[in-house]
Amino acid sequence: MSRFYLTTPIFYVNDAPHLGHAYTTVTADAVCRWQRLLGNDVVFMTGTDEHGLKVQRAAEANGLTPQEQADQTSERFRDAWDHINIAYDDYIRTTEPRHHASVRAFMQRCYDNGHIYKGTYDGLYSVSDEAYVTQADVDEGRVSGPVERMTEENYFFKLSEFAEPLLEWFEREPENITPTRYRNEALGIIKGGLADVSVTRTSLDWGIRVPWDESQVFYVWYDALINYATVAGYDGDPDRFAAWWPATRHLLGKDIIRFHCVYWPAMLMAAGVKDLPKFHVHGWLLIGGEKMSKSKLNQISPENMTEEFGVDGFRYAMLRDTSFGPDNDFSYEALLSRYTSDLANAFGNLLGRVAAVVESKAGGIGPAASPDSPLRESTAAAYEAASKAWEQVQPSVALDATWQILRDANEYFQRMEPWKLPEGNEVNAVLGDTLECLRIATILASPAIPDAAAVAWQRIGMTGNPADQRLPEAAEWGGYGGGTQVIRGDPLFPRISSD
RNA sequence: GGCGGCGUAGCUCAGUUGGUAAGAGCGCUCGACUCAUAAUCGAGAGGUCGCCAGUUCAAGUCUGGCCGCCGCUACCA
């Protein structure tokens, strides 16, 4: 048994949960559920990033204190994740005392190790963009309003010192960042030259106080990144940290590569943390299709997506239709099409037709799988492919491989025509083998569709929950012993009309 | 501007270190079947692999140029 610690980025609380957040989080959830099937010890973490100027401003605009603003939005994220069945083990908020303590301890180490110094930040600030900008930004018209020169005494992190160590890390760990395209991008950032970065601010209060200079607070990014260490027990639980930190994997979007894949590893080195995380980077979820844009689904909360397709329908379609890495198009039409073809037709309908024939030809009792089934080999191959894909954080590939079992089972069932056979061994073998395919596919699909998988599991006469199965044994042919009641029931994934 | 990425069948995407007649799912056409959620199964049509040039016995797969789209370039996954 091994440990598996997976994080999503923590989400900034000036923005309501939307499909992009859901994409990252559902992917992480499914990957963790797969790891649990393997019997690994898993910690799955998500949470909210609550400090910084934008939160302070948003609070003022809403007539709230920053804490109230953070409380409200953080709760919305938590509700959204509960709604789409995200089984997180820890939900961190950067305003929690444990995180404040952790950040102060972490940064104090960096300071004590001589990687932080006091300097003068001198930069251009665009009020309308609420952001610091470069001269190049101004020259090339990427700034929406007037800029003013800001001068501030800040503490700087000696990022420039870490270019070499970072390159050594890339040399040493060929798979530190996947997919490769993003590894190259991070490498490009490092090779492009790293300047020291200002990590504190005096211009706002809503942040974590610098332990060696209480007049300053940490700039929100450098507080936020440390959350991953907080959850692993960085401050106050050295044993836990030693055990879990080496198992760390970060899931993130390509827009935050710089901070995660370059700055964060450098900070860890500065704090004297030996183990560096693995990074899995994904592209954007692009929203295409007219119906989708009609209701501005790119801004809509994840809850709205589940009204028609159910939680599992939404989760499945998103995981199956987005290849992890590149940007992906996602649309209402695609979602409907995926739901219908894969869930209603290939899975739900197979379940229904088998149950109907079990009822008419086997008295409603599922017969056992036959040991020498022609489906045995292809099912094993599908498991191997799915397993490999989950390991590589490729849910779409894993689910496609899993559905091969269902396609094969439908083909077999069709070819054997059990509904025409007389009751007896021959029909029992066909039914048992098809049920066995459903049993295995249900386990393998459960990370994507946990609730529906649990229902399907009961329908074919299994007891317990597919989530409690252990791979790889549970995926081996012959696990369906038969002799239990198969339940026909209502369609597991009812068809949805397209209007 | 700088750095990086993408452009393969109608759609969404796969295509190891260049090498048998370019793949999958969906969609479409035709046929079969009727156990099932008008589901399922079979057959088929459909691609000059963005464009041009080059390297090579051989390029979707390498090199150069061009066109189009996109990301990052200090606080949105």
Side-chain angles (χ1 to χ4, degrees):
Chain A
M1 181 168 86
S2 59
R3 293 191 177 85
F4 190 85
Y5 171 37
L6 187 69
T7 74
T8 70
I10 51 173
F11 305 111
Y12 205 56
V13 294
N14 75 332
D15 195 10
H18 56 66
L19 285 180
H21 301 120
Y23 174 47
T24 303
T25 307
V26 168
T27 300
D29 181 62
V31 166
C32 285
R33 286 177 187 269
W34 177 265
Q35 289 293 326
R36 294 189 191 106
L37 283 175
L38 291 173
N40 290 331
D41 207 359
V42 174
V43 169
F44 170 30
M45 183 225 90
T46 187
T48 44
D49 179 9
E50 309 189 352
H51 291 123
L53 191 58
K54 284 195 175 181
V55 174
Q56 192 170 312
R57 292 272 175 79
E60 286 163 11
N62 295 332
L64 301 169
T65 65
Q67 187 64 55
E68 287 167 343
Q69 167 76 26
D71 286 347
Q72 286 184 8
T73 311
S74 186
E75 193 58 26
R76 289 186 66 182
F77 274 97
R78 194 189 279 266
D79 289 346
W81 301 156
D82 289 346
H83 178 70
I84 59 174
N85 210 355
I86 304 298
Y88 53 80
D89 297 296
D90 200 341
Y91 187 93
I92 190 169
R93 302 183 52 190
T94 57
T95 47
E96 291 175 52
R98 61 169 171 162
H99 183 61
H100 280 240
S102 169
V103 167
R104 286 161 66 91
F106 188 99
M107 294 304 274
Q108 184 71 52
R109 281 296 284 282
C110 294
Y111 185 72
D112 292 343
N113 290 344
H115 300 298
I116 291 179
Y117 63 93
K118 193 168 192 177
T120 303
Y121 179 83
D122 183 48
L124 299 172
Y125 184 78
S126 164
V127 179
S128 55
D129 294 321
E130 293 181 12
Y132 286 86
V133 297
T134 62
Q135 189 60 49
D137 291 327
V138 179
D139 294 344
E140 288 155 33
R142 287 193 298 266
V143 179
S144 61
V147 295
E148 52 193 79
R149 183 159 292 279
M150 301 276 283
T151 303
E152 214 177 283
E153 288 281 295
N154 290 142
Y155 290 93
F156 281 71
F157 173 53
K158 291 183 183 172
L159 181 63
S160 58
E161 287 184 338
F162 290 92
E164 277 307 313
L166 285 168
L167 290 173
E168 283 165 21
W169 170 52
F170 273 76
E171 188 72 28
R172 198 169 65 234
E173 301 278 349
E175 300 202 334
N176 60 346
I177 301 167
T178 63
T180 310
R181 49 169 32 130
Y182 298 123
R183 185 173 193 270
N184 292 337
E185 204 160 317
L187 204 48
I189 291 171
I190 297 166
K191 288 180 173 171
L194 298 177
D196 293 348
V197 288
S198 161
V199 297
T200 66
R201 291 287 182 271
T202 57
S203 51
L204 79 161
D205 295 326
W206 187 237
I208 297 177
R209 293 279 155 198
V210 175
W212 62 86
D213 182 348
E214 299 281 339
S215 72
Q216 305 228 6
V217 299
F218 288 109
Y219 172 51
V220 64
W221 261 107
Y222 303 96
D223 131 24
L225 287 165
I226 296 168
N227 89 86
Y228 305 127
T230 302
V231 169
Y234 181 76
D235 182 61
D237 196 343
D239 289 343
R240 177 180 162 83
F241 189 75
W244 281 93
W245 189 252
T248 304
R249 290 158 180 265
H250 297 312
L251 216 63
L252 60 138
K254 65 179 181 178
D255 54 321
I256 50 176
I257 286 175
R258 171 178 293 267
F259 281 99
H260 279 79
C261 303
V262 179
Y263 294 7
W264 175 228
M267 289 167 67
L268 286 163
M269 290 177 188
V273 176
K274 292 277 190 295
D275 294 293
L276 300 179
K278 287 197 192 321
F279 297 85
H280 302 293
V281 184
H282 63 73
W284 297 85
L285 197 61
L286 305 172
I287 309 303
E290 293 149 33
K291 288 187 176 174
M292 193 67 100
S293 59
K294 182 182 72 177
S295 50
K296 289 184 179 171
L297 279 169
N298 51 339
Q299 287 296 317
I300 217 158
S301 68
E303 282 94 328
N304 298 69
M305 297 301 295
T306 64
E307 282 170 15
E308 262 183 286
F309 302 100
V311 169
D312 284 335
F314 168 66
R315 289 171 56 107
Y316 177 81
M318 191 156 61
L319 290 169
R320 174 62 186 84
D321 266 339
T322 57
S323 81
F324 189 89
D327 290 350
N328 290 275
D329 284 319
F330 195 58
S331 65
Y332 177 88
E333 289 77 4
L335 207 165
L336 175 63
S337 165
R338 187 58 74 184
Y339 174 90
T340 304
S341 66
D342 289 14
L343 295 180
N345 297 352
F347 193 166
N349 182 58
L350 178 62
L351 192 62
R353 66 196 302 212
V354 172
V357 180
V358 168
E359 202 170 87
S360 62
K361 298 289 182 179
I365 304 299
S370 54
D372 55 350
S373 169
L375 292 167
R376 182 177 192 147
E377 232 172 275
S378 60
T379 302
Y383 170 72
E384 286 305 319
S387 175
K388 187 177 162 197
W390 281 115
E391 205 63 50
Q392 296 172 340
V393 192
Q394 295 289 341
S396 65
V397 178
L399 292 171
D400 186 43
T402 298
W403 254 250
Q404 189 59 48
I405 296 171
L406 299 170
R407 288 191 286 269
D408 289 346
N410 264 314
E411 185 276 324
Y412 174 72
F413 198 77
Q414 183 76 20
R415 185 158 44 81
M416 300 308 285
E417 301 184 313
W419 55 90
K420 286 184 179 173
L421 297 172
E423 292 184 26
N425 289 340
E426 198 183 349
V427 76
N428 285 347
V430 174
L431 295 173
D433 290 354
T434 306
L435 286 161
E436 173 67 334
C437 286
L438 278 165
R439 183 190 69 85
I440 294 171
T442 296
I443 298 170
L444 303 189
S446 66
I449 52 171
D451 286 347
V455 173
W457 192 252
Q458 302 279 338
R459 293 270 182 95
I460 62 173
M462 299 299 292
T463 55
N465 190 303
D468 299 324
Q469 297 299 303
R470 285 295 162 266
L471 297 174
E473 298 78 19
E476 283 168 16
W477 189 267
Y480 191 77
T484 53
Q485 185 79 37
V486 171
I487 303 157
R488 194 162 170 182
D490 295 330
L492 184 57
F493 297 103
R495 279 182 72 87
I496 294 167
S497 60
S498 60
D499 53 20

